[in-house]
């Protein structure tokens, strides 16, 4: 039976101060994994590095401390809908590719999920995305009969000029994420798009991802409680913590309550393969044997998911 997962939410408390990067090279088809699957897994929104404000910036905005120039910039960054530090289960980025950015609260993001796809497929897929945007085509429109010949000619021209630089950017992408967490390799998990979308290996990869994400969510929630306790002892009056203390909760009970709130929409590990089937299955049927999406049908279905 279907799992009937809830729509993604913001946690009641901004406990996810230590989030997780979800990094991928452009064209890697990672939205399926780094947005749709993680949101289905956690029941909590996934943020975008370019528009997810730090907790400090959020507090500045709420208190009216931003000057007029900063307010204008904030509107450009769509803060009215952007989910920021403390309220997202992961933060998507393409960095260090030229189309990507690190989050403004990068120093507080202590783990990363890195999705890798064979560049033989990722780079052409990236070109298709750019071509469709530039020509105002629907997703997959570059492969339609009326545009296929023109887009193929444009691809050959772009490839001859850009292929070497894109391969160097791919190499730089892999090197950057290998180096970023090299002091503790347990803080980075590598997934391949091909293995995650494979019928045989996909469910096991999904379980790996679920364990990794839940570990970070719990660690962040506990750290939020400890930090709030310290601020309360030093200065007093931490409203989100006072709600519990006024009820006479002990520190251990506060931790239990916060962990419950943070993970209450997290799917049970035994249900992860079912979630994988529900989210991935409809796209798998549209992929070629090599995992490519020549007709763009997989990308069209992803767009319909939001």
């Amino acid at each position: 039976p279907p799992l009937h997962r809830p729509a993604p939410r913001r946690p009641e408390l901004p406990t996810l101060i230590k989030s997780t990067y979800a990094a991928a090279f452009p064209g890697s088809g990672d939205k399926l994994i780094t947005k749709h699957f993680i949101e289905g897994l956690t029941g909590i929104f996934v943020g975008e590095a370019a528009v997810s404000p730090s907790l400090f910036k959020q507090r500045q905005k709420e208190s009216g401390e931003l000057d007029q120039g900063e307010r204008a910039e904030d509107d450009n960054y769509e803060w009215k809908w952007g989910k920021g530090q403390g309220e997202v289960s992961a933060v998507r980025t393409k960095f260090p590719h030229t189309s990507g950015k690190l989050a403004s609260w990068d120093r507080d993001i202590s783990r990363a999920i890195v999705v890798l796809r064979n560049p033989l497929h990722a780079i052409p897929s990236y070109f298709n995305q750019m071509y469709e945007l530039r020509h105002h085509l629907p997703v997959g429109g570059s492969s339609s009969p009326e545009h296929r010949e023109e887009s193929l000619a444009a691809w050959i021209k772009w490839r001859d000029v850009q292929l070497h630089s894109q391969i160097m950017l791919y190499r730089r992408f892999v090197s950057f994420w290998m180096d970023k967490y090299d002091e503790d390799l347990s803080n980075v998990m590598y997934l391949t798009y091909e293995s995650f979308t494979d019928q045989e290996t996909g469910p096991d990869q999904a379980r790996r991802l679920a364990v990794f994400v839940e570990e970070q969510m719990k660690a962040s929630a506990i750290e939020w409680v400890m930090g709030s306790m310290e601020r309360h002892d030093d200065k007093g009056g931490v409203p989100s913590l006072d709600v519990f203390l006024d009820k006479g909760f002990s520190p251990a009970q506060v931790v239990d309550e916060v962990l419950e709130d943070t993970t209450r929409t997290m799917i049970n590990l035994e249900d992860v393969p079912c979630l994988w089937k529900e989210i991935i299955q409809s796209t798998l049927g549209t992929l070629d044997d090599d995992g490519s999406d020549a007709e763009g049908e997989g990308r069209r279905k992803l767009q319909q998911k939001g």
Side-chain angles (χ1 to χ4, degrees), residues 95-298:
F95 193 85
H97 191 272
T98 52
S99 65
K101 293 182 67 175
L102 290 176
S104 60
W105 39 294
D106 170 69
R107 63 184 180 185
D108 290 326
I109 303 178
S110 56
R111 301 187 103 192
I113 299 156
V114 181
V115 179
L116 300 173
R117 187 182 187 185
N118 188 334
L120 182 65
H121 305 304
I123 293 174
S125 179
Y126 174 49
F127 168 81
N128 287 339
Q129 293 171 15
M130 292 191 298
Y131 184 88
E132 289 160 5
L133 284 171
R134 185 178 302 119
H135 294 275
H136 309 288
L137 299 177
V139 174
S142 59
S143 301
S144 63
E146 62 268 33
H147 296 290
R148 185 174 296 159
E149 184 175 347
E150 184 179 343
S151 65
L152 178 59
W155 153 250
I156 293 172
K157 182 178 180 180
W158 183 87
R159 179 201 64 190
D160 291 347
V161 175
Q162 287 285 334
L163 184 59
H164 178 74
S165 62
Q166 291 299 320
I167 291 173
M168 291 299 100
L169 284 170
Y170 190 95
R171 179 178 178 180
R172 181 184 174 199
F173 173 86
V174 175
S175 297
F176 176 84
W177 291 102
M178 288 181 67
D179 293 341
K180 186 168 175 61
Y181 298 103
D182 61 353
E183 292 183 3
D184 187 351
L185 297 180
S186 66
N187 285 329
V188 60
M189 183 177 73
Y190 298 97
L191 289 172
T192 67
Y193 174 84
E194 291 81 4
S195 66
F196 198 91
T197 57
D198 183 81
Q199 294 279 3
E200 294 185 5
T201 59
D204 286 338
Q205 295 300 307
R207 290 190 194 94
R208 284 182 62 221
L209 179 60
V211 171
F212 189 85
V213 171
E214 186 173 19
E215 284 177 352
Q216 181 68 351
M217 289 174 61
K218 288 181 175 179
S220 182
I222 293 171
E223 185 166 337
W224 179 86
V225 173
M226 297 300 103
S228 297
M229 287 283 189
E230 289 179 8
R231 290 196 302 275
H232 185 274
D233 292 342
D234 292 341
K235 301 177 181 179
V238 179
S240 51
L241 187 64
D242 290 342
V243 172
F244 299 106
L245 299 181
D246 291 345
K247 295 178 181 179
F249 283 17
S250 68
Q253 289 174 316
V254 174
V255 169
D256 289 341
E257 288 291 319
V258 170
L259 282 174
E260 170 64 24
D261 173 72
T262 303
T263 61
R264 65 181 171 84
T265 51
M266 184 80 189
I267 197 170
N268 294 324
L269 191 60
E270 58 267 26
D271 291 328
V272 170
C274 294
L275 180 71
W276 180 87
K277 289 180 180 179
E278 285 190 11
I279 294 180
I280 311 295
Q281 195 72 48
S282 61
T283 304
L284 284 177
T286 69
L287 300 179
D288 296 337
D289 291 339
D290 60 7
S292 65
D293 185 22
E295 300 301 320
E297 182 63 23

